[in-house]
Amino acid sequence: AQSVTQLDSHVSVSEGTPVLLRCNYSSSYSPSLFWYVQHPNKGLQLLLKYTSAATLVKGINGFEAEFKKSETSFHLTKPSAHMSDAAEYFCVVTDRGYNQGGKLIFGQGTELSVKP
Amino acid sequence: EPEVTQTPSHQVTQMGQEVILRCVPISNHLYFYWYRQILGQKVEFLVSFYNNEISEKSEIFDDQFSVERPDGSNFTLKIRSTKLEDSAMYFCASRGQFSGEQYFGPGTRLTVT
């Protein structure tokens, strides 16, 4: 069965410093992986997706993630944090192929705080 | 930019009452989903819906739950007799035919007292 584990429940960084949010996945086949972000009182917004093309995936707002099969990881990074990045981030895997309409399986979430 | 909308944003109900949560998916999407997030827990899948029928449902989605697409725009989740443990944020999502991304609404916070 597919699953994801987010290794940190809370990450705090200073504005202008790099962001690293860690995610490990478990999948019985080549997975489709996503990062979603949830700002307070807002819906879940897709940041980026990996669908077995390029292993380095670029998303919105300067975020990117690298799929590493050998490490079963899909960590989210950003070179320089902005105050507006403060939110909850979810690593997500589908339970089947990308276009097959499967359900999304969420990690526990990582709350990112950005200090001025 | 098209978006998924949900109403109400917050619903308070008494235990045993019926509630209907409403969603308007993105207009050309064909696949619809409900998820929920109990406070402090993971977002978890409830049900998927395609071509006017349920495609898949989780163990949580028991006989107390039902979904419907009553017209060409709305997608609803009904809970017939709410329990305290149904208190959660409920998210609706939709997906286009040739895309794997699911687009989420802002959620409805359901509080059962």
Side-chain angles (χ1 to χ4, degrees):
Chain A
Q2 279 61 251
S3 67
V4 287
T5 301
Q6 293 182 245
L7 302 173
D8 306 291
S9 58
H10 186 226
V11 169
S12 181
V13 301
S14 296
E15 191 174 21
T17 64
V19 175
L20 170 64
L21 305 183
R22 299 181 296 164
C23 173
N24 286 348
Y25 71 89
S26 173
S27 179
S28 53
Y29 54 83
S30 184
S32 292
L33 292 157
F34 306 83
W35 277 97
Y36 279 83
V37 61
Q38 184 181 26
H39 288 93
N41 301 314
K42 300 286 187 183
L44 293 156
Q45 181 185 19
L46 179 67
L47 271 181
L48 49 79
K49 64 187 180 196
Y50 166 76
T51 59
S52 75
T55 56
L56 182 62
V57 181
K58 294 188 184 301
I60 62 172
N61 300 334
F63 284 94
E64 60 183 38
E66 186 171 8
F67 174 76
K68 291 187 176 180
K69 186 176 180 180
S70 60
E71 299 176 9
T72 61
S73 69
F74 190 58
H75 301 336
L76 181 71
T77 60
K78 182 173 181 178
S80 176
H82 192 272
M83 295 296 291
S84 61
D85 295 328
E88 185 100 20
Y89 291 79
F90 295 94
C91 183
V92 179
V93 65
T94 58
D95 72 334
R96 64 193 73 167
Y98 175 67
N99 281 331
Q100 294 177 10
K103 61 181 179 285
L104 299 183
I105 299 162
F106 283 73
Q108 301 93 323
T110 298
E111 184 180 354
L112 176 64
S113 300
V114 182
K115 298 175 289 189
Chain B
E1 184 176 328
E3 57 182 18
V4 178
T5 60
Q6 291 185 242
T7 54
S9 57
H10 190 195
Q11 172 99 42
V12 181
T13 189
Q14 289 189 327
M15 196 167 49
Q17 295 297 304
E18 174 182 287
V19 295
I20 298 176
L21 309 183
R22 290 183 168 82
C23 168
V24 179
I26 293 173
S27 63
N28 62 346
H29 283 185
L30 301 177
Y31 299 84
F32 313 112
Y33 306 82
W34 283 101
Y35 294 81
R36 79 173 185 188
Q37 185 181 28
I38 295 171
L39 188 64
Q41 299 185 22
K42 289 185 184 184
V43 177
E44 49 190 354
F45 167 79
L46 291 178
V47 65
S48 58
F49 190 87
Y50 170 70
N51 200 25
N52 282 319
E53 60 182 29
I54 291 174
S55 313
E56 185 178 359
K57 59 184 180 180
S58 71
E59 294 175 352
I60 304 165
F61 196 87
D62 61 21
D63 292 343
Q64 293 300 312
F65 291 87
S66 63
V67 289
E68 190 179 30
R69 188 154 164 81
D71 52 43
S73 59
N74 289 282
F75 178 52
T76 62
L77 173 70
K78 181 193 290 187
I79 309 175
R80 290 189 183 80
S81 178
T82 50
K83 307 182 185 69
L84 293 175
E85 54 265 35
D86 294 327
S87 295
M89 180 73 89
Y90 288 80
F91 294 104
C92 172
S94 69
R95 182 179 78 89
Q97 185 173 7
F98 302 111
S99 170
E101 293 104 69
Q102 294 183 22
Y103 292 85
F104 283 80
T108 293
R109 179 166 298 285
L110 177 65
T111 302
V112 182
T113 61

